Amino acid sequence: GRNPGYCTGCSIARIVTRDRGPPMRCPALATLALTSALSMPPVKRRRSPRLRAVAAGGGKNGGGGVAFASTAMLLVSAHRTLFSAAMPELQASLGFDSKTVGALQAAYLAGYGLTNGVGGAAADRVGGARVLALGLLVWSGLVALTPAAASLGVTALALCRFGFGVASGPALPASLAVVSAQPDADSRAKGIATVLCGFNVGSTAGLLSAAALLTLLGWRTLSVVAGVTGAVVALYALTTAEQQTTTTQTTKKPVKFTKSFPVQLAALTHVHNCINWSFFVMQAWLPTYFASELGLDMKASALFSALPFATMALGSLVSGQASAALLQRMAPFEVRKRMVALSSIVPACALLALSYVKSPTVALGLLVTALGAHSFSSAGLHAHVTDVAPQASGRILGFTNTVGVLVGIIANVATGRVLDATGSFKAVFALTAAIYLSEVVAFFGFVRDGPLVAED
């Protein structure tokens, strides 16, 4: 049978897909769609034992595991963002064009995609904290070596970025494998919010430190300092991995999926593709957008790029608390659908409006709105996976993120080519908005409630 609220969800998709009004109607569209999504009739909260079941013992060290996962995600995001923030300087000093920038970003994503699935499966088996600590040590070393690689040429720098991607690939699925050890939907929603808040704080910290320190230290010194800092944290974590690893993720019991799993996996993969496309484009290209499109200098473009990601950090925490409150009066799946609707419709409308903006202040306001709303996806897709498959969340999200990374590679290369061809971000923002809208259509139209792991 249909889930409660399904027809209302379909109506949102129809509103989005049939509207063809001018761009200035975007705020009205966002208000109408979100009001419909967030005001769906409350559904009595179902407490299925199958959705609540996790292996015994997961709660003992769950808090420590979540704290370390949040720290690791902060560092991986900061390290990744520092490179993007320094790109205008690299382009000026080394003569890179937009195609070369896109190729370097794609090299990172190629390595990142190779180890998402493997890292997620390893985290489910041996523990997310151990996988995170080892990856952090390796990728931090490569961050510190980035200036040396750049001095050797584009090929060496691309190989360094590829290695960084390989080492950091397991970070997201391993972090969410840690969160899956939490005993109920409320705890998992808050755990995911904490982990992804760390990730978004990392983006902000990377951009703010770039704004403050790039002109003072230069990108080479800053890369070395950032890499050494991450390595120190990793070495400490490796010495205490036993305390940070939850028993839930060390089981060797094989997982059997339900018959509906292939269709659900395909739908979840598309949703993750949409999230990755939009996020990777924003993280990689915002400094360039502010510098080339709006005429800001390197320091100002880094600062302006940091503020939307600071909003994402706050939005991640708010989404966790909002989800926990909504879970008191409705089923988890109904909450997840509302979070997906908010995290896709609002950014799409903001980006469509951004295509016609020339004021840095107005552009910043729209990007803060877009990425702040985008952050609610953590309480949508990611929380849904930990609800319906806590025993296999690492490998599922590892797979969906692997495919999403391939999409991210295409997004970065396509963005570079579009910019070289048009000299404007207008087409980039319009395409990203369309992809956002396809996310909500896919989730409401194809994703279903119920466990994905078969019971014995």
Side-chain angles (χ1 to χ4, degrees):
R2 291 182 175 177
N3 293 313
Y6 176 80
C7 292
T8 307
C10 290
S11 70
I12 294 173
R14 288 195 296 270
I15 290 171
V16 173
T17 54
R18 73 167 178 251
D19 185 82
R20 293 294 184 270
M24 292 308 292
R25 292 179 59 190
C26 290
L29 172 60
T31 301
L32 177 59
L34 288 175
T35 300
S36 299
L38 297 177
S39 63
M40 294 178 190
V43 180
K44 184 177 180 180
R45 187 178 179 185
R46 300 186 298 273
R47 294 186 177 272
S48 166
R50 293 181 296 175
L51 292 185
R52 295 200 311 267
V54 294
K60 182 178 180 181
N61 297 316
V66 169
F68 172 64
S70 179
T71 302
M73 292 298 288
L74 183 154
L75 288 168
V76 72
S77 183
H79 288 160
R80 186 162 69 190
T81 307
L82 276 173
F83 186 79
S84 296
M87 189 54 66
E89 184 177 334
L90 267 73
Q91 287 183 277
S93 61
L94 301 178
F96 294 163
D97 58 14
S98 295
K99 289 182 181 179
T100 302
V101 173
L104 289 173
Q105 299 289 5
Y108 153 71
L109 290 174
Y112 182 80
L114 286 178
T115 52
N116 262 249
V118 174
D124 285 338
R125 178 173 291 269
V126 305
R130 288 192 182 118
V131 173
L132 278 172
L134 182 59
L136 175 58
L137 180 63
V138 176
W139 88 59
S140 296
L142 289 169
V143 169
L145 291 174
T146 298
S151 67
L152 296 176
V154 174
T155 301
L157 182 57
L159 288 173
C160 186
R161 296 300 296 167
F162 176 81
F164 174 76
V166 169
S168 61
L172 177 62
S175 295
L176 296 180
V178 172
V179 172
S180 294
Q182 301 303 301
D184 52 46
D186 293 19
S187 299
R188 289 192 293 273
K190 292 177 181 177
I192 291 172
T194 300
V195 167
L196 294 184
C197 176
F199 181 79
N200 293 321
V201 167
S203 297
T204 306
L207 289 165
L208 288 178
S209 64
L213 299 176
L214 273 174
T215 55
L216 179 64
L217 300 178
W219 75 270
R220 297 175 185 273
T221 301
L222 192 56
S223 293
V224 173
V225 171
V228 171
T229 301
V232 170
V233 173
L235 290 172
Y236 173 77
L238 285 171
T239 63
T240 58
E242 215 40 62
Q243 287 73 35
Q244 294 163 338
T245 301
T246 62
T247 59
T248 297
Q249 295 136 358
T250 59
T251 178
K252 295 184 179 180
K253 188 176 181 180
V255 173
K256 296 181 180 179
F257 294 106
T258 62
K259 291 182 179 179
S260 65
F261 178 72
V263 173
Q264 291 302 292
L265 182 63
L268 294 171
T269 300
H270 177 78
V271 173
H272 209 151
N273 288 346
C274 297
I275 293 171
N276 277 21
W277 178 291
S278 53
F279 180 80
F280 282 128
V281 167
M282 293 297 102
Q283 188 179 54
W285 293 94
L286 276 191
T288 303
Y289 165 71
F290 281 116
S292 64
E293 191 95 346
L294 302 180
L296 301 182
D297 60 26
M298 184 176 64
K299 181 178 179 179
S301 66
L303 178 61
F304 269 55
S305 300
L307 293 178
F309 289 102
T311 306
M312 285 190 74
L314 178 61
S316 296
L317 290 179
V318 171
S319 71
Q321 296 299 322
S323 294
L326 290 172
L327 284 165
Q328 300 304 314
R329 63 188 185 95
M330 63 183 67
F333 187 57
E334 300 304 319
V335 177
R336 309 314 180 202
K337 289 200 297 185
R338 286 159 172 77
M339 297 298 107
V340 169
L342 192 153
S343 68
S344 53
I345 297 174
V346 171
C349 295
L351 289 181
L352 288 174
L354 187 64
S355 300
Y356 298 89
V357 166
K358 295 300 180 184
S359 165
T361 303
V362 175
L364 178 62
L366 288 170
L367 286 167
V368 163
T369 301
L371 291 178
H374 175 104
S375 67
F376 279 67
S377 63
S378 64
L381 170 70
H382 301 86
H384 174 71
V385 173
T386 63
D387 285 342
V388 299
Q391 310 95 316
S393 59
R395 69 195 73 181
I396 291 173
L397 287 167
F399 174 82
T400 61
N401 202 38
T402 296
V403 180
V405 166
L406 296 177
V407 172
I409 293 172
I410 296 171
N412 272 292
V413 173
T415 298
R417 293 184 180 277
V418 168
L419 289 176
D420 280 342
T422 66
S424 170
F425 275 84
K426 185 175 181 178
V428 173
F429 291 148
L431 177 59
T432 305
I435 290 171
Y436 265 126
L437 294 179
S438 75
E439 175 189 341
V440 71
V441 172
F443 197 92
F444 276 73
F446 298 99
V447 176
R448 296 290 180 266
D449 197 5
L452 297 181
V453 176
E455 292 183 325
D456 294 332

XYZ file of all heavy atoms in Angstrom, residues 66-127:
431
model
N 31.374 9.009 17.192
C 30.764 10.110 16.464
C 31.634 11.360 16.543
O 31.811 12.079 15.557
C 29.346 10.390 16.999
C 28.797 11.698 16.444
C 28.409 9.240 16.653
N 32.216 11.623 17.728
C 33.078 12.805 17.890
C 34.307 12.710 16.988
O 34.688 13.684 16.326
C 33.493 12.945 19.350
N 34.926 11.537 16.939
C 36.102 11.391 16.083
C 35.713 11.466 14.612
O 36.435 12.063 13.789
C 36.831 10.081 16.360
C 37.934 9.816 15.376
C 39.035 10.666 15.305
C 37.864 8.756 14.490
C 40.046 10.451 14.384
C 38.869 8.526 13.575
C 39.964 9.371 13.515
N 34.571 10.836 14.249
C 34.121 10.900 12.862
C 33.886 12.343 12.432
O 34.240 12.740 11.315
C 32.847 10.072 12.687
N 33.308 13.142 13.333
C 33.081 14.556 13.020
C 34.399 15.290 12.811
O 34.543 16.109 11.894
C 32.278 15.206 14.152
O 32.054 16.565 13.891
N 35.400 14.979 13.644
C 36.718 15.609 13.511
C 37.377 15.224 12.193
O 37.950 16.078 11.489
C 37.613 15.197 14.686
O 36.992 15.585 15.911
C 38.981 15.854 14.576
N 37.299 13.940 11.841
C 37.907 13.485 10.589
C 37.228 14.131 9.381
O 37.900 14.540 8.422
C 37.820 11.958 10.496
N 35.916 14.250 9.436
C 35.204 14.887 8.325
C 35.529 16.370 8.236
O 35.602 16.943 7.145
C 33.703 14.673 8.490
C 33.261 13.227 8.309
S 33.602 12.581 6.658
C 32.380 13.443 5.690
N 35.728 17.012 9.380
C 36.156 18.422 9.383
C 37.486 18.567 8.654
O 37.661 19.455 7.813
C 36.262 18.921 10.820
C 36.617 20.401 11.040
C 36.071 20.876 12.389
C 38.118 20.657 10.998
N 38.425 17.673 8.975
C 39.760 17.787 8.388
C 39.758 17.484 6.890
O 40.426 18.169 6.112
C 40.728 16.865 9.128
C 41.098 17.329 10.537
C 41.814 16.226 11.306
C 41.964 18.585 10.489
N 39.016 16.450 6.481
C 39.024 16.130 5.055
C 38.418 17.265 4.246
O 38.894 17.602 3.156
C 38.298 14.793 4.771
C 36.797 14.902 4.938
C 38.628 14.306 3.362
N 37.386 17.887 4.795
C 36.766 18.994 4.076
C 37.668 20.223 4.049
O 37.786 20.906 3.023
C 35.428 19.339 4.736
O 34.762 20.360 4.033
N 38.323 20.514 5.182
C 39.240 21.659 5.222
C 40.398 21.465 4.252
O 40.783 22.390 3.526
C 39.759 21.850 6.649
N 40.958 20.262 4.232
C 42.087 19.986 3.328
C 41.659 20.120 1.868
O 42.400 20.648 1.038
C 42.611 18.575 3.589
C 43.350 18.446 4.882
N 43.563 17.236 5.515
C 43.917 19.378 5.688
C 44.233 17.433 6.631
N 44.468 18.723 6.758
N 40.465 19.634 1.562
C 39.983 19.718 0.184
C 39.699 21.168 -0.208
O 39.994 21.596 -1.330
C 38.712 18.868 0.048
C 38.204 18.751 -1.363
C 37.250 17.587 -1.494
N 35.994 17.806 -0.781
C 35.081 16.856 -0.588
N 35.318 15.627 -1.011
N 33.954 17.135 0.036
N 39.124 21.925 0.717
C 38.734 23.302 0.411
C 39.938 24.225 0.282
O 39.922 25.168 -0.515
C 37.785 23.826 1.506
O 36.701 22.914 1.652
C 37.237 25.191 1.148
N 40.980 23.973 1.055
C 42.188 24.794 0.947
C 42.733 24.802 -0.478
O 43.160 25.842 -0.986
C 43.263 24.278 1.908
C 43.198 24.768 3.352
C 44.238 24.031 4.198
C 43.407 26.264 3.436
N 42.701 23.640 -1.111
C 43.211 23.556 -2.476
C 42.363 24.389 -3.421
O 42.879 25.112 -4.283
C 43.251 22.096 -2.926
C 43.885 21.892 -4.269
C 45.271 21.886 -4.400
C 43.115 21.721 -5.406
C 45.862 21.701 -5.645
C 43.696 21.532 -6.645
C 45.075 21.525 -6.767
N 41.035 24.313 -3.259
C 40.147 25.107 -4.119
C 40.332 26.602 -3.883
O 40.334 27.402 -4.826
C 38.690 24.719 -3.852
O 38.458 23.375 -4.218
N 40.497 26.995 -2.606
C 40.669 28.411 -2.290
C 41.975 28.960 -2.851
O 42.068 30.139 -3.211
C 40.629 28.613 -0.778
N 42.989 28.093 -2.915
C 44.293 28.529 -3.428
C 44.363 28.497 -4.955
O 45.360 28.951 -5.533
C 45.393 27.642 -2.851
N 43.323 27.983 -5.604
C 43.388 27.797 -7.048
C 43.631 29.093 -7.832
O 44.405 29.080 -8.801
C 42.112 27.108 -7.536
C 42.175 26.676 -8.988
S 43.635 25.644 -9.356
C 43.251 24.196 -8.371
N 42.991 30.232 -7.472
C 43.320 31.457 -8.219
C 44.811 31.792 -8.194
O 45.377 32.231 -9.199
C 42.490 32.530 -7.495
C 41.313 31.790 -6.950
C 41.878 30.458 -6.522
N 45.475 31.554 -7.041
C 46.911 31.811 -6.953
C 47.694 30.820 -7.804
O 48.687 31.182 -8.456
C 47.371 31.732 -5.495
C 48.844 32.077 -5.310
C 49.267 32.071 -3.851
O 48.410 32.285 -2.977
O 50.467 31.834 -3.600
N 47.269 29.547 -7.781
C 47.938 28.548 -8.621
C 47.788 28.881 -10.092
O 48.740 28.739 -10.880
C 47.369 27.148 -8.345
C 48.088 26.308 -7.292
C 47.800 26.850 -5.892
C 47.653 24.855 -7.382
N 46.597 29.334 -10.480
C 46.378 29.701 -11.876
C 47.294 30.862 -12.289
O 47.851 30.861 -13.388
C 44.914 30.086 -12.092
C 43.949 28.918 -12.089
C 42.536 29.349 -12.389
O 41.808 29.790 -11.505
N 42.123 29.222 -13.641
N 47.432 31.830 -11.383
C 48.261 32.990 -11.706
C 49.743 32.636 -11.751
O 50.475 33.076 -12.650
C 48.018 34.102 -10.681
N 50.208 31.843 -10.782
C 51.639 31.556 -10.690
C 52.102 30.443 -11.616
O 53.253 30.433 -12.078
C 52.010 31.197 -9.244
O 51.317 30.038 -8.819
N 51.219 29.480 -11.894
C 51.615 28.334 -12.713
C 50.977 28.344 -14.097
O 51.251 27.465 -14.911
C 51.262 27.025 -11.991
C 51.915 26.840 -10.608
C 51.443 25.533 -9.971
C 53.427 26.858 -10.721
N 50.100 29.317 -14.362
C 49.528 29.453 -15.696
C 48.455 28.443 -16.036
O 48.288 28.089 -17.204
N 47.689 27.962 -15.039
C 46.625 26.999 -15.301
C 45.417 27.706 -15.915
O 45.025 28.781 -15.469
C 46.165 26.318 -14.006
C 47.218 25.450 -13.362
C 47.082 25.057 -12.040
C 48.324 25.007 -14.074
C 48.045 24.250 -11.435
C 49.283 24.209 -13.488
C 49.146 23.828 -12.155
N 44.803 27.071 -16.923
C 43.532 27.573 -17.427
C 42.397 26.799 -16.763
O 42.625 25.915 -15.935
C 43.457 27.469 -18.956
C 43.632 26.035 -19.468
O 43.542 25.087 -18.652
O 43.853 25.862 -20.682
N 41.157 27.118 -17.106
C 40.003 26.483 -16.464
C 39.950 24.985 -16.740
O 39.524 24.196 -15.896
C 38.704 27.146 -16.925
O 38.639 28.487 -16.492
N 40.383 24.567 -17.930
C 40.390 23.136 -18.239
C 41.355 22.382 -17.334
O 41.069 21.272 -16.881
C 40.760 22.920 -19.705
C 39.686 23.350 -20.693
C 40.121 23.062 -22.123
C 39.059 23.509 -23.114
N 39.470 23.266 -24.529
N 42.513 22.967 -17.062
C 43.477 22.331 -16.176
C 42.946 22.249 -14.752
O 43.107 21.227 -14.069
C 44.810 23.106 -16.178
O 45.309 23.169 -17.512
C 45.839 22.427 -15.289
N 42.282 23.303 -14.312
C 41.666 23.289 -12.983
C 40.634 22.175 -12.888
O 40.606 21.406 -11.920
C 41.012 24.657 -12.675
C 40.232 24.585 -11.365
C 42.067 25.751 -12.607
N 39.788 22.068 -13.908
C 38.799 20.996 -13.919
C 39.439 19.623 -13.912
O 38.966 18.696 -13.247
N 40.564 19.470 -14.639
C 41.254 18.183 -14.671
C 41.848 17.835 -13.305
O 41.830 16.675 -12.886
C 42.347 18.215 -15.735
N 42.388 18.825 -12.596
C 42.945 18.573 -11.266
C 41.847 18.178 -10.277
O 42.039 17.272 -9.451
C 43.681 19.821 -10.768
C 45.001 20.143 -11.467
C 45.532 21.498 -11.005
C 46.036 19.051 -11.184
N 40.711 18.845 -10.349
C 39.594 18.473 -9.488
C 39.095 17.072 -9.838
O 38.735 16.284 -8.963
C 38.455 19.490 -9.618
C 38.808 20.914 -9.227
C 39.006 21.096 -7.723
O 38.979 20.147 -6.955
N 39.220 22.341 -7.310
N 39.086 16.758 -11.128
C 38.645 15.433 -11.554
C 39.621 14.347 -11.101
O 39.208 13.224 -10.781
C 38.487 15.403 -13.072
N 40.916 14.650 -11.064
C 41.908 13.670 -10.588
C 41.647 13.305 -9.140
O 41.706 12.124 -8.755
C 43.313 14.242 -10.747
N 41.358 14.310 -8.334
C 41.004 14.040 -6.936
C 39.767 13.158 -6.849
O 39.723 12.156 -6.117
C 40.773 15.352 -6.192
C 39.832 15.216 -5.025
C 40.224 14.541 -3.870
C 38.531 15.710 -5.101
C 39.340 14.378 -2.824
C 37.663 15.560 -4.054
C 38.062 14.894 -2.913
O 37.188 14.724 -1.880
N 38.727 13.500 -7.601
C 37.477 12.758 -7.526
C 37.621 11.336 -8.054
O 36.958 10.410 -7.568
C 36.386 13.495 -8.304
C 35.900 14.804 -7.669
C 34.922 15.513 -8.594
C 35.247 14.537 -6.324
N 38.501 11.142 -9.045
C 38.732 9.789 -9.560
C 39.302 8.893 -8.467
O 38.858 7.750 -8.283
C 39.683 9.839 -10.759
N 40.283 9.395 -7.728
C 40.825 8.620 -6.617
C 39.820 8.428 -5.510
O 39.703 7.329 -4.934
N 39.065 9.456 -5.230
C 38.046 9.409 -4.177
C 36.997 8.342 -4.472
O 36.584 7.584 -3.587
C 37.406 10.791 -4.084
C 36.361 10.967 -3.015
C 36.716 11.184 -1.690
C 35.013 10.957 -3.346
C 35.739 11.372 -0.713
C 34.037 11.140 -2.384
C 34.412 11.346 -1.069
O 33.445 11.530 -0.114
N 36.591 8.248 -5.724
C 35.566 7.282 -6.089
C 36.028 5.842 -6.008
O 35.227 4.941 -5.764
N 37.318 5.594 -6.176
C 37.826 4.224 -6.167
C 37.676 3.543 -4.815
O 37.524 2.322 -4.745
C 39.303 4.213 -6.579
C 39.614 4.431 -8.052
C 41.122 4.439 -8.266
C 38.959 3.346 -8.912
N 37.724 4.289 -3.726
C 37.779 3.672 -2.403
C 36.528 3.895 -1.561
O 36.502 3.486 -0.402
C 39.000 4.203 -1.628
O 38.996 5.639 -1.642
C 40.287 3.700 -2.232
N 35.488 4.516 -2.119
C 34.248 4.690 -1.362
C 33.629 3.351 -0.975
O 33.330 3.097 0.192
C 33.246 5.514 -2.165
C 33.245 6.966 -1.774
O 32.287 7.451 -1.202
N 34.316 7.679 -2.071
N 33.415 2.499 -1.961
C 32.783 1.212 -1.699
C 33.642 0.307 -0.845
O 33.164 -0.318 0.112
N 34.922 0.213 -1.185
C 35.838 -0.635 -0.414
C 35.948 -0.131 1.013
O 35.926 -0.920 1.970
C 37.226 -0.658 -1.088
C 38.232 -1.414 -0.230
C 37.132 -1.295 -2.465
N 36.068 1.175 1.176
C 36.178 1.750 2.512
C 34.924 1.537 3.340
O 34.997 1.258 4.540
N 33.739 1.657 2.698
C 32.499 1.419 3.418
C 32.370 -0.009 3.886
O 31.962 -0.275 5.029
N 32.730 -0.970 3.022
C 32.675 -2.382 3.413
C 33.663 -2.675 4.538
O 33.358 -3.417 5.484
C 32.968 -3.265 2.198
N 34.857 -2.094 4.456
C 35.852 -2.296 5.519
C 35.369 -1.713 6.841
O 35.570 -2.306 7.913
C 37.180 -1.660 5.115
N 34.710 -0.557 6.771
C 34.203 0.062 7.991
C 33.115 -0.787 8.632
O 33.046 -0.911 9.858
C 33.668 1.461 7.680
N 32.226 -1.374 7.808
C 31.198 -2.256 8.351
C 31.816 -3.470 9.048
O 31.266 -4.002 10.003
C 30.265 -2.736 7.232
C 29.297 -1.649 6.774
O 29.048 -0.717 7.557
O 28.803 -1.749 5.637
N 32.986 -3.898 8.563
C 33.583 -5.129 9.086
C 34.527 -4.879 10.263
O 34.450 -5.571 11.285
C 34.346 -5.849 7.961
C 35.052 -7.128 8.380
C 35.623 -7.859 7.177
N 34.555 -8.402 6.353
C 34.043 -9.629 6.513
N 34.489 -10.409 7.478
N 33.093 -10.059 5.717
N 35.437 -3.906 10.139
C 36.477 -3.743 11.175
C 36.293 -2.504 12.027
O 37.009 -2.327 13.014
C 37.891 -3.726 10.549
C 38.131 -4.960 9.713
C 38.099 -2.473 9.701
N 35.373 -1.625 11.648
C 35.127 -0.439 12.463
C 35.459 0.847 11.742
O 36.545 1.000 11.168
